[in-house]
Structure formats: C-alpha cells, structure tokens
Amino acid sequence: MYNKVVMEEKVRLSYLFDMYGNLLKPAQRDLFERFVFYDFSLSEIADEEGTSRQAVHEKIKRIVASLENYEDGLLLLEKDERIKDIVSDIRENLAGACGLDKDRVDMLLESLLEVL
C-alpha cells in the first residue's frame, strides 16, 4: 500500500511540475527532476551537492510547497482533470446518441484536448 501511495504522489507531483515547473528556478527544477523523475535518493543528491540529506529534504519540501501554492492559486491541474472528465463523458455518449462516427468523434476530442 505504501508504494502505491508514494507512486500516486509522484504522479501528482509530475503533473504539478508539468504545469508549473517553468516557474521554478533552474536549480529547483534540476533538484526536483533528479528526485522525482530520475528517482535519486536524498543521500545521492546530498553527496552530489556536498550537503546533508536533511538539507536536500528541506529543499524538496519547499519546492513541493511552491508547486502546491501555484496550484492552489491557479487551479490548472484541477481544471485539466475536469476537462478530461468532460471530454471522456462526451466521448462515451456523443457518438452513440447522435449516430456519429466514433473514430471521428475521438479524433475531434483529442484535437480539442491538445488545444486546451
């Protein structure tokens, strides 16, 4: 169960990073990428940076807090998830109800998601 929770949190952090990563400083982006995307341990990062594991942990906590603060204010991730849910609902209901070509509906909805 623990690994599933950790993985779900890493996925959420990845989405937040996709939305707001450009708002971080380059050093923050690099640290976040090593920890989340490349799965470096705190000790490995600390060794590379010549600092303590605790210092790396604190930096990562501040980065995550920044990403969460951006989401709290802008709600881009929440809106993205709502849009995807709506598009999925449209996909499931539109083609059959209107007699439309399902492949054409899928293509149009995917195009809409790319624009959004």
Side-chain angles (χ1 to χ4, degrees), residues 7-75:
M7 186 57 68
E8 288 173 358
E9 179 62 15
K10 283 196 172 190
V11 169
R12 177 173 161 52
L13 290 175
S14 296
Y15 285 135
L16 287 174
F17 186 79
D18 286 345
M19 296 285 181
Y20 306 112
N22 286 334
L23 300 174
L24 299 173
K25 295 175 184 174
Q28 291 175 310
R29 284 195 303 269
D30 177 63
L31 176 60
F32 185 89
E33 288 173 348
R34 285 186 284 159
F35 184 69
V36 174
F37 298 134
Y38 301 118
D39 208 27
F40 282 35
S41 70
L42 296 175
S43 297
E44 290 171 322
I45 296 169
D47 288 345
E48 284 183 356
E49 295 190 359
T51 188
S52 71
R53 184 183 177 283
Q54 182 64 31
V56 172
H57 182 260
E58 290 300 319
K59 287 179 185 179
I60 290 170
K61 277 178 43 177
R62 285 193 299 273
I63 293 167
V64 169
S66 293
L67 294 172
E68 293 287 358
N69 286 335
Y70 294 139
E71 175 61 14
D72 288 346
L74 298 171
L75 302 174

XYZ file of all heavy atoms in Angstrom, residues 7-75:
575
model
N 3.786 6.213 -5.215
C 3.727 6.327 -6.673
C 2.654 7.326 -7.092
O 2.882 8.158 -7.975
C 3.456 4.957 -7.308
C 3.517 4.982 -8.814
S 5.085 5.588 -9.493
C 6.168 4.287 -9.021
N 1.479 7.280 -6.456
C 0.411 8.227 -6.784
C 0.856 9.657 -6.487
O 0.539 10.575 -7.245
C -0.860 7.883 -6.015
C -1.552 6.632 -6.529
C -2.713 6.192 -5.663
O -2.991 6.823 -4.626
O -3.349 5.190 -6.037
N 1.579 9.843 -5.396
C 2.067 11.186 -5.053
C 3.095 11.650 -6.073
O 3.098 12.812 -6.479
C 2.662 11.188 -3.641
C 3.205 12.532 -3.218
C 2.173 13.654 -3.140
O 0.965 13.378 -3.145
O 2.593 14.821 -3.081
N 3.971 10.755 -6.517
C 4.963 11.126 -7.530
C 4.288 11.483 -8.851
O 4.713 12.412 -9.536
C 6.000 10.023 -7.724
C 7.027 9.992 -6.614
C 8.236 9.184 -6.983
C 9.301 9.343 -5.920
N 10.575 8.785 -6.326
N 3.232 10.770 -9.193
C 2.489 11.090 -10.417
C 1.869 12.473 -10.287
O 1.951 13.295 -11.195
C 1.426 10.009 -10.717
C 0.475 10.461 -11.815
C 2.099 8.702 -11.101
N 1.250 12.747 -9.147
C 0.644 14.074 -8.928
C 1.707 15.165 -8.990
O 1.505 16.193 -9.626
C -0.076 14.109 -7.581
C -0.668 15.477 -7.265
C -1.510 15.471 -6.019
N -1.759 16.738 -5.397
C -2.223 17.827 -5.953
N -2.496 17.852 -7.214
N -2.411 18.939 -5.285
N 2.843 14.925 -8.358
C 3.926 15.911 -8.403
C 4.427 16.110 -9.829
O 4.759 17.227 -10.224
C 5.069 15.481 -7.488
C 4.795 15.544 -5.993
C 5.970 14.970 -5.208
C 4.491 16.966 -5.546
N 4.459 15.053 -10.603
C 4.873 15.161 -12.008
C 3.916 16.054 -12.783
O 4.344 16.885 -13.588
C 4.921 13.784 -12.666
O 5.895 12.984 -12.056
N 2.613 15.872 -12.543
C 1.628 16.726 -13.205
C 1.784 18.183 -12.772
O 1.717 19.097 -13.592
C 0.208 16.251 -12.914
C -0.201 15.013 -13.671
C -0.862 13.978 -13.032
C 0.061 14.872 -15.027
C -1.244 12.835 -13.715
C -0.313 13.733 -15.717
C -0.973 12.721 -15.065
O -1.354 11.609 -15.742
N 1.987 18.398 -11.473
C 2.197 19.767 -10.996
C 3.439 20.376 -11.641
O 3.437 21.543 -12.035
C 2.327 19.791 -9.469
C 1.052 19.567 -8.677
C 1.372 19.461 -7.187
C 0.049 20.676 -8.929
N 4.487 19.564 -11.752
C 5.720 20.045 -12.369
C 5.487 20.388 -13.842
O 6.001 21.395 -14.337
C 6.826 19.005 -12.224
C 8.160 19.466 -12.704
C 8.948 20.294 -11.921
C 8.649 19.077 -13.938
C 10.192 20.731 -12.362
C 9.881 19.489 -14.393
C 10.658 20.326 -13.600
N 4.707 19.556 -14.543
C 4.384 19.859 -15.942
C 3.672 21.208 -16.064
O 3.928 21.965 -16.998
C 3.490 18.772 -16.548
C 4.235 17.490 -16.839
O 5.491 17.501 -16.846
O 3.568 16.463 -17.058
N 2.792 21.488 -15.127
C 2.018 22.728 -15.169
C 2.838 23.946 -14.735
O 2.729 25.004 -15.330
C 0.789 22.633 -14.262
C -0.208 21.602 -14.658
S -1.139 22.161 -16.087
C -2.242 20.803 -16.310
N 3.621 23.791 -13.687
C 4.241 24.950 -13.037
C 5.765 24.903 -12.967
O 6.378 25.816 -12.417
C 3.701 25.082 -11.612
C 2.201 25.139 -11.536
C 1.472 24.095 -10.975
C 1.498 26.225 -12.039
C 0.091 24.132 -10.911
C 0.118 26.283 -11.980
C -0.584 25.230 -11.415
O -1.946 25.292 -11.364
N 6.384 23.878 -13.522
C 7.832 23.728 -13.404
C 8.621 24.914 -13.936
O 9.674 25.259 -13.394
N 8.102 25.554 -14.972
C 8.816 26.706 -15.534
C 8.827 27.909 -14.598
O 9.584 28.860 -14.822
C 8.220 27.105 -16.883
C 8.591 26.127 -17.962
O 9.616 25.455 -17.886
N 7.754 26.023 -18.977
N 8.010 27.884 -13.563
C 8.001 28.968 -12.588
C 9.078 28.788 -11.518
O 9.339 29.708 -10.747
C 6.615 29.073 -11.924
C 5.457 29.362 -12.872
C 4.138 29.294 -12.122
C 5.626 30.711 -13.547
N 9.685 27.616 -11.484
C 10.766 27.352 -10.524
C 12.092 27.845 -11.077
O 12.272 27.986 -12.281
C 10.868 25.842 -10.268
C 9.652 25.149 -9.666
C 9.870 23.635 -9.647
C 9.356 25.671 -8.272
N 13.028 28.065 -10.172
C 14.384 28.417 -10.580
C 15.051 27.188 -11.199
O 14.690 26.051 -10.855
C 15.193 28.888 -9.369
C 14.662 30.163 -8.763
C 15.418 30.515 -7.502
C 14.799 31.740 -6.855
N 15.403 32.037 -5.556
N 16.016 27.382 -12.096
C 16.678 26.231 -12.733
C 17.233 25.211 -11.735
O 17.097 23.999 -11.951
C 17.789 26.867 -13.567
C 17.266 28.238 -13.889
C 16.481 28.653 -12.665
N 17.827 25.666 -10.660
C 18.382 24.745 -9.665
C 17.269 23.939 -8.987
O 17.441 22.749 -8.687
C 19.186 25.503 -8.619
N 16.119 24.572 -8.768
C 14.985 23.868 -8.179
C 14.444 22.808 -9.149
O 14.130 21.691 -8.739
C 13.863 24.847 -7.826
C 14.186 25.772 -6.681
C 13.087 26.795 -6.475
O 12.648 27.451 -7.424
N 12.642 26.931 -5.238
N 14.353 23.182 -10.421
C 13.878 22.220 -11.429
C 14.808 21.013 -11.491
O 14.359 19.868 -11.524
C 13.785 22.890 -12.810
C 12.581 23.788 -12.964
C 12.326 24.143 -14.424
N 13.445 24.771 -15.083
C 13.661 26.079 -15.147
N 12.827 26.913 -14.583
N 14.702 26.557 -15.790
N 16.112 21.277 -11.500
C 17.091 20.195 -11.571
C 16.972 19.260 -10.367
O 16.947 18.039 -10.521
C 18.498 20.781 -11.656
C 19.558 19.701 -11.657
O 19.574 18.885 -12.602
O 20.356 19.664 -10.702
N 16.866 19.824 -9.184
C 16.750 19.029 -7.964
C 15.458 18.195 -8.002
O 15.478 16.994 -7.719
C 16.759 19.934 -6.731
C 16.558 19.265 -5.373
C 17.650 18.246 -5.110
C 16.528 20.310 -4.280
N 14.360 18.819 -8.361
C 13.084 18.119 -8.436
C 13.144 16.978 -9.439
O 12.675 15.878 -9.165
C 11.977 19.109 -8.813
C 10.608 18.503 -8.798
C 9.850 18.504 -7.643
C 10.076 17.931 -9.944
C 8.584 17.936 -7.630
C 8.820 17.371 -9.936
C 8.065 17.367 -8.778
N 13.699 17.240 -10.607
C 13.798 16.205 -11.644
C 14.626 15.018 -11.169
O 14.247 13.864 -11.394
C 14.398 16.785 -12.922
C 13.449 17.701 -13.658
C 14.083 18.418 -14.833
O 15.338 18.397 -14.965
O 13.331 18.999 -15.628
N 15.742 15.294 -10.511
C 16.562 14.183 -10.017
C 15.813 13.348 -8.992
O 15.878 12.123 -9.016
C 17.875 14.700 -9.426
C 18.872 15.128 -10.491
C 20.195 15.502 -9.896
N 20.075 16.842 -9.283
C 20.894 17.303 -8.351
N 21.901 16.567 -7.921
N 20.735 18.505 -7.853
N 15.094 14.009 -8.111
C 14.390 13.293 -7.046
C 13.154 12.555 -7.565
O 12.948 11.385 -7.255
C 13.991 14.260 -5.929
C 13.349 13.585 -4.761
C 14.073 12.746 -3.931
C 11.999 13.770 -4.484
C 13.484 12.111 -2.856
C 11.394 13.143 -3.409
C 12.141 12.311 -2.591
N 12.335 13.207 -8.377
C 11.060 12.613 -8.799
C 11.201 11.791 -10.074
O 10.754 10.651 -10.144
C 9.971 13.696 -8.958
C 8.693 13.111 -9.531
C 9.695 14.372 -7.624
N 11.829 12.355 -11.094
C 11.864 11.677 -12.390
C 12.975 10.634 -12.491
O 12.788 9.589 -13.094
C 12.002 12.684 -13.530
C 10.846 13.642 -13.619
C 11.069 14.991 -13.779
C 9.540 13.202 -13.539
C 10.008 15.873 -13.869
C 8.473 14.066 -13.624
C 8.710 15.421 -13.788
N 14.130 10.944 -11.932
C 15.257 10.017 -12.030
C 15.403 9.153 -10.791
O 16.298 8.311 -10.714
C 16.541 10.781 -12.321
C 16.456 11.570 -13.611
C 16.565 12.954 -13.608
C 16.236 10.935 -14.825
C 16.465 13.683 -14.782
C 16.140 11.653 -16.003
C 16.255 13.022 -15.974
O 16.148 13.740 -17.146
N 14.519 9.378 -9.795
C 14.438 8.545 -8.598
C 15.738 8.486 -7.802
O 16.082 7.449 -7.244
C 13.961 7.140 -8.975
C 13.221 6.459 -7.844
O 12.637 7.167 -6.998
O 13.246 5.218 -7.793
N 16.481 9.601 -7.779
C 17.664 9.676 -6.929
C 17.203 9.726 -5.478
O 16.179 10.313 -5.152
C 18.467 10.946 -7.212
C 19.316 10.916 -8.447
C 18.916 10.251 -9.600
C 20.519 11.599 -8.477
C 19.693 10.250 -10.739
C 21.311 11.600 -9.620
C 20.900 10.925 -10.742
N 17.971 9.122 -4.613
C 17.665 9.200 -3.184
C 18.152 10.543 -2.638
O 18.976 11.231 -3.264
C 18.351 8.063 -2.434
O 19.754 8.272 -2.416
N 17.663 10.887 -1.465
C 18.125 12.118 -0.816
C 19.634 12.056 -0.575
O 20.335 13.052 -0.759
C 17.390 12.318 0.509
C 15.885 12.546 0.430
C 15.286 12.592 1.834
C 15.571 13.816 -0.329
N 20.119 10.894 -0.193
C 21.552 10.722 0.071
C 22.383 10.905 -1.196
O 23.447 11.538 -1.159
C 21.823 9.347 0.661
O 21.179 9.212 1.898
N 21.910 10.358 -2.307
C 22.643 10.506 -3.568
C 22.732 11.973 -3.982
O 23.793 12.454 -4.396
C 21.958 9.698 -4.682
C 22.086 8.206 -4.518
C 21.219 7.436 -5.494
O 20.081 7.855 -5.782
O 21.703 6.382 -5.970
N 21.622 12.684 -3.848
C 21.617 14.106 -4.206
C 22.511 14.881 -3.251
O 23.286 15.750 -3.670
C 20.177 14.663 -4.197
C 19.335 13.978 -5.278
C 20.186 16.169 -4.415
C 17.841 14.258 -5.195
N 22.418 14.567 -1.970
C 23.247 15.256 -0.969
C 24.727 15.048 -1.267
O 25.518 16.001 -1.191
C 22.907 14.749 0.429
N 25.113 13.831 -1.629
C 26.513 13.556 -1.969
C 26.953 14.382 -3.176
O 28.055 14.937 -3.183
C 26.725 12.068 -2.263
C 26.661 11.206 -1.009
O 26.745 11.758 0.109
O 26.506 9.971 -1.166
N 26.101 14.447 -4.194
C 26.441 15.223 -5.393
C 26.599 16.714 -5.090
O 27.443 17.388 -5.664
C 25.343 15.064 -6.460
C 25.373 13.749 -7.180
C 24.308 13.673 -8.265
O 23.497 14.611 -8.396
O 24.293 12.656 -8.984
N 25.754 17.211 -4.193
C 25.767 18.640 -3.884
C 26.683 18.998 -2.722
O 26.852 20.184 -2.422
C 24.340 19.126 -3.602
C 23.456 19.039 -4.824
C 22.122 19.745 -4.632
O 21.861 20.285 -3.543
O 21.342 19.742 -5.603
N 27.250 17.999 -2.076
C 28.132 18.262 -0.941
C 27.390 18.875 0.233
O 27.903 19.767 0.912
N 26.190 18.407 0.471
C 25.382 18.925 1.565
C 24.767 17.752 2.325
O 25.056 16.593 2.031
C 24.285 19.878 1.015
O 23.625 20.512 2.095
C 23.292 19.161 0.143
N 23.936 18.042 3.291
C 23.333 16.972 4.086
C 22.044 16.471 3.455
O 21.391 17.168 2.680
C 23.039 17.469 5.506
O 21.966 18.385 5.486
N 21.697 15.272 3.836
C 20.443 14.674 3.382
C 19.265 15.529 3.847
O 18.299 15.740 3.123
C 20.371 13.255 3.964
C 19.199 12.447 3.548
C 19.223 11.077 4.267
N 18.066 10.291 3.943
C 16.851 10.475 4.454
N 16.649 11.440 5.305
N 15.860 9.691 4.103
N 19.352 16.033 5.079
C 18.288 16.877 5.642
C 18.123 18.167 4.845
O 17.004 18.611 4.603
C 18.584 17.204 7.115
C 17.506 18.023 7.789
C 16.180 17.303 7.881
O 16.131 16.087 7.995
N 15.097 18.046 7.813
N 19.217 18.750 4.408
C 19.149 19.984 3.619
C 18.438 19.729 2.287
O 17.614 20.541 1.847
C 20.548 20.543 3.376
N 18.746 18.601 1.670
C 18.081 18.240 0.407
C 16.592 18.019 0.653
O 15.748 18.496 -0.112
C 18.728 16.983 -0.220
C 17.928 16.501 -1.420
C 20.171 17.270 -0.614
N 16.276 17.325 1.738
C 14.878 17.080 2.083
C 14.120 18.398 2.249
O 12.995 18.553 1.753
C 14.804 16.240 3.363
C 13.423 15.895 3.778
N 12.755 16.579 4.759
C 12.561 14.953 3.304
C 11.542 16.065 4.887
N 11.404 15.070 4.028
N 14.713 19.349 2.933
C 14.072 20.656 3.148
C 13.872 21.399 1.825
O 12.831 22.027 1.607
C 14.891 21.504 4.125
C 14.870 20.994 5.548
C 13.466 20.930 6.148
O 12.665 21.863 5.916
O 13.170 19.937 6.835
N 14.860 21.331 0.945
C 14.731 21.985 -0.361
C 13.578 21.375 -1.159
O 12.786 22.095 -1.774
C 16.028 21.855 -1.168
C 17.152 22.726 -0.684
C 18.396 22.506 -1.550
C 19.578 23.265 -1.051
N 20.784 23.034 -1.880
N 13.487 20.070 -1.140
C 12.420 19.393 -1.876
C 11.060 19.749 -1.278
O 10.097 19.999 -2.015
C 12.658 17.871 -1.920
C 13.862 17.585 -2.818
C 11.413 17.126 -2.409
C 14.361 16.176 -2.787
N 10.976 19.809 0.040
C 9.722 20.205 0.684
C 9.307 21.610 0.245
O 8.123 21.853 -0.020
C 9.859 20.165 2.215
C 9.662 18.791 2.797
C 9.836 18.713 4.297
C 9.208 19.817 5.081
N 9.366 19.646 6.536
N 10.276 22.531 0.140
C 9.964 23.900 -0.287
C 9.523 23.933 -1.752
O 8.618 24.675 -2.120
C 11.162 24.819 -0.060
C 11.363 25.195 1.404
C 12.339 26.345 1.578
N 13.671 26.070 1.081
C 14.637 25.482 1.780
N 14.417 25.125 3.031
N 15.818 25.275 1.249
N 10.160 23.121 -2.583
C 9.783 23.060 -3.996
C 8.352 22.532 -4.129
O 7.531 23.102 -4.858
C 10.767 22.184 -4.798
C 12.134 22.852 -4.856
C 10.235 21.911 -6.203
C 13.257 21.940 -5.342
N 8.045 21.459 -3.422
C 6.699 20.880 -3.470
C 5.678 21.899 -2.950
O 4.606 22.061 -3.544
C 6.635 19.556 -2.678
C 5.199 19.083 -2.499
C 7.476 18.494 -3.370
N 6.019 22.596 -1.882
C 5.115 23.621 -1.349
C 4.873 24.721 -2.380
O 3.741 25.195 -2.530
C 5.686 24.214 -0.060
N 5.909 25.102 -3.111
C 5.749 26.118 -4.162
C 4.805 25.616 -5.245
O 3.901 26.343 -5.677
C 7.102 26.463 -4.797
O 7.930 27.118 -3.888
N 5.004 24.383 -5.694
C 4.126 23.818 -6.723
C 2.688 23.745 -6.237
O 1.750 24.073 -6.975
C 4.624 22.431 -7.145
C 5.977 22.386 -7.856
C 6.434 20.940 -8.039
C 5.930 23.100 -9.190
N 2.500 23.327 -5.000
C 1.151 23.249 -4.431
C 0.527 24.639 -4.313
O -0.669 24.813 -4.568
C 1.176 22.566 -3.057
C 1.558 21.104 -3.083
C 0.487 20.178 -3.635
O -0.622 20.636 -3.981
O 0.778 18.968 -3.727
N 1.330 25.638 -3.940
C 0.821 27.012 -3.850
C 0.389 27.541 -5.212
O -0.624 28.228 -5.323
C 1.861 27.950 -3.230
C 1.996 27.754 -1.743
O 1.079 27.303 -1.064
N 3.158 28.080 -1.204
N 1.167 27.229 -6.240
C 0.777 27.640 -7.591
C -0.564 27.009 -7.956
O -1.454 27.670 -8.503
C 1.833 27.243 -8.627
C 3.160 27.948 -8.477
C 4.360 27.261 -8.638
C 3.236 29.300 -8.180
C 5.588 27.900 -8.511
C 4.458 29.949 -8.043
C 5.620 29.240 -8.216
O 6.836 29.881 -8.095
N -0.714 25.723 -7.654
C -1.973 25.039 -7.974
C -3.128 25.608 -7.153
O -4.227 25.793 -7.673
C -1.840 23.531 -7.746
C -3.130 22.758 -7.944
C -3.728 22.837 -9.335
O -3.050 23.280 -10.290
O -4.898 22.455 -9.491
N -2.886 25.914 -5.880
C -3.944 26.488 -5.040
C -4.455 27.801 -5.621
O -5.646 28.103 -5.533
C -3.437 26.724 -3.619
C -3.240 25.436 -2.835
O -3.739 24.381 -3.276
O -2.570 25.486 -1.786
N -3.563 28.562 -6.212
C -3.963 29.852 -6.767
C -4.523 29.778 -8.173
O -5.507 30.452 -8.504
N -3.917 28.962 -9.011
C -4.281 28.941 -10.432
C -5.215 27.792 -10.822
O -5.931 27.892 -11.821
C -3.005 28.881 -11.282
C -2.072 30.080 -11.112
C -0.756 29.831 -11.820
C -2.725 31.348 -11.615
N -5.169 26.707 -10.080
C -6.044 25.549 -10.295
C -5.946 24.937 -11.698
O -6.910 24.364 -12.206
C -7.504 25.930 -10.009
C -7.797 26.452 -8.605
C -9.226 26.922 -8.509
C -7.511 25.390 -7.563
